[in-house]
Amino acid sequence: MERGISGIDRPVLQMQLIRHLAKSHGACLVDRLCVHLAQTYGVQWPTPASSNKPDDQKDSTGAIQTDSPSPSSPDFVNPMTPDQRQQLVEMLKHSGAADAAQTSSALQNVIEKMRAIQQTANVGLTDYYLAVEALATDHTGISLPTLHARVDNKRRKEERSKANELALQVELQLQTAIEALHKEADMRLAATASLAAVCLFAQVATGWPVTAPGKCVPDLVSWLSDFVSSRRSSNNSKETTTSPALQALLNSTAIPDLVELTALISQHMHSGIDISFNTDLGTKFEQVVNVAKQCRKLMT
């Protein structure tokens, strides 16, 4: 997904998308490694800080004690909080197990890299990848080959297959949201649909998957609008080669339709005033879905 984000030539938007990528997908990877570490070293799974336990029920590391066996079951539904990750660092440090202190330091390094991505202006994932790889390889014995750039044909096929799989997942999210929207004119469903559509069209434009938070949809739609206008001009001058999926997008009205739909959704979100979907707007959403399906099928 970083490759897709790198194709979006708006620095501020690109920074927001990288931060979202690290906060969502990157954090999920770290959390899975944390599960492995807790199980390997036999430490209790960290309890969220919101738990109202008295001070005398906290151990010497500051972790909250519970009646659960050690290690307790992690929550695979909700991501770990920053406090939980920090608790795990302290529990590993004081566990007394062999190499646990070094593992604690490696996890602390990953946490610091995650924090730096969210707080610094110069956003990059290289240092983060290196820290995660060191934690995984040196302290869990888990190999993360996807963090290594390779240019062989097998890797290219694997990456393209995964990209197409992600595109299909986004298309299904879009279709599900539209079907629900037919049953209930809920702006939240419309927002979900527009987010899925803009991510899918961004993949068409950049050639690689793009993930984004809902707050970035207006900026992404604006970038797509400029991108489509630029590529149409380039096509007229025969300066560039266009993929079938991108050509289908350029030949459609999907992006202008999405601009209008996004503006309507944004107006509703800011004003709180209910806005009904009339026949014309419903038609625009259907057109967006049809173009999205066509583009996804043409991806290779």
Side-chain angles (χ1 to χ4, degrees):
M1 291 183 181
E2 184 187 6
R3 195 178 304 181
I5 293 171
S6 67
I8 297 172
D9 55 357
R10 288 190 180 180
V12 174
L13 176 57
Q14 191 178 89
M15 177 181 67
Q16 291 176 316
L17 296 177
I18 288 177
R19 284 176 172 167
H20 172 71
L21 177 63
K23 189 174 182 179
S24 54
H25 298 271
C28 180
L29 172 60
V30 173
D31 290 352
R32 292 288 174 156
L33 291 175
C34 285
V35 171
H36 188 83
L37 292 175
Q39 294 172 342
T40 298
Y41 289 97
V43 298
Q44 179 179 300
W45 187 248
T47 306
S50 58
S51 180
N52 295 319
K53 293 283 185 178
D55 291 340
D56 59 1
Q57 292 189 32
K58 295 183 179 180
D59 63 21
S60 60
T61 69
I64 300 172
Q65 295 181 342
T66 68
D67 296 329
S68 302
S70 177
S72 58
S73 299
D75 181 356
F76 289 107
V77 177
N78 300 306
M80 294 178 73
T81 64
D83 179 73
Q84 281 180 289
R85 297 189 191 102
Q86 199 61 52
Q87 283 187 56
L88 183 57
V89 167
E90 295 301 318
M91 286 189 282
L92 288 170
K93 184 188 298 183
H94 295 89
S95 70
D99 301 325
Q102 292 89 337
T103 301
S104 173
S105 296
L107 178 57
Q108 181 67 56
N109 187 37
V110 170
I111 292 172
E112 290 173 357
K113 295 298 186 294
M114 293 172 68
R115 188 180 299 121
I117 290 173
Q118 302 301 325
Q119 296 178 351
T120 60
N122 296 322
V123 177
L125 295 177
T126 301
D127 289 344
Y128 167 75
Y129 287 152
L130 292 173
V132 171
E133 182 184 15
L135 177 65
T137 304
D138 299 340
H139 300 278
T140 69
I142 297 175
S143 176
L144 299 175
T146 55
L147 295 183
H148 297 282
R150 293 207 325 257
V151 294
D152 56 277
N153 289 333
K154 181 180 179 181
R155 180 60 176 269
R156 287 195 186 98
K157 290 180 180 179
E158 290 173 350
E159 290 178 341
R160 184 53 60 192
S161 176
K162 185 62 178 178
N164 291 341
E165 179 184 330
L166 290 172
L168 178 58
Q169 291 177 10
V170 175
E171 180 194 328
L172 292 175
Q173 291 170 5
L174 173 59
Q175 183 63 46
T176 300
I178 292 299
E179 289 175 356
L181 193 57
H182 282 312
K183 300 175 182 178
E184 180 183 5
D186 188 331
M187 277 293 173
R188 290 170 297 182
L189 294 171
T192 299
S194 66
L195 174 59
V198 76
C199 287
L200 185 55
F201 290 142
Q203 180 169 348
V204 173
T206 64
W208 294 99
V210 172
T211 183
K215 67 180 182 180
C216 287
V217 168
D219 289 335
L220 258 178
V221 171
S222 174
W223 174 79
L224 277 169
S225 182
D226 290 346
F227 175 86
V228 166
S229 297
S230 175
R231 287 305 298 264
R232 282 173 176 163
S233 299
S234 298
N235 280 1
N236 290 336
S237 60
K238 307 296 182 181
E239 293 177 355
T240 58
T241 301
T242 304
S243 69
L246 179 55
Q247 191 60 56
L249 179 60
L250 297 178
N251 292 341
S252 74
T253 62
I255 299 305
D257 289 342
L258 198 54
V259 168
E260 183 175 344
L261 290 167
T262 301
L264 179 67
I265 294 168
S266 180
Q267 178 186 349
H268 167 78
M269 294 301 182
H270 285 91
S271 67
I273 300 174
D274 288 333
I275 303 173
S276 61
F277 283 98
N278 56 35
T279 303
D280 183 50
L281 292 174
T283 300
K284 289 184 184 297
F285 252 128
E286 287 297 333
Q287 290 172 343
V288 167
V289 172
N290 290 336
V291 174
K293 289 181 177 180
Q294 181 185 8
C295 290
R296 204 276 306 164
K297 290 178 181 178
L298 291 171
M299 289 181 183
T300 56

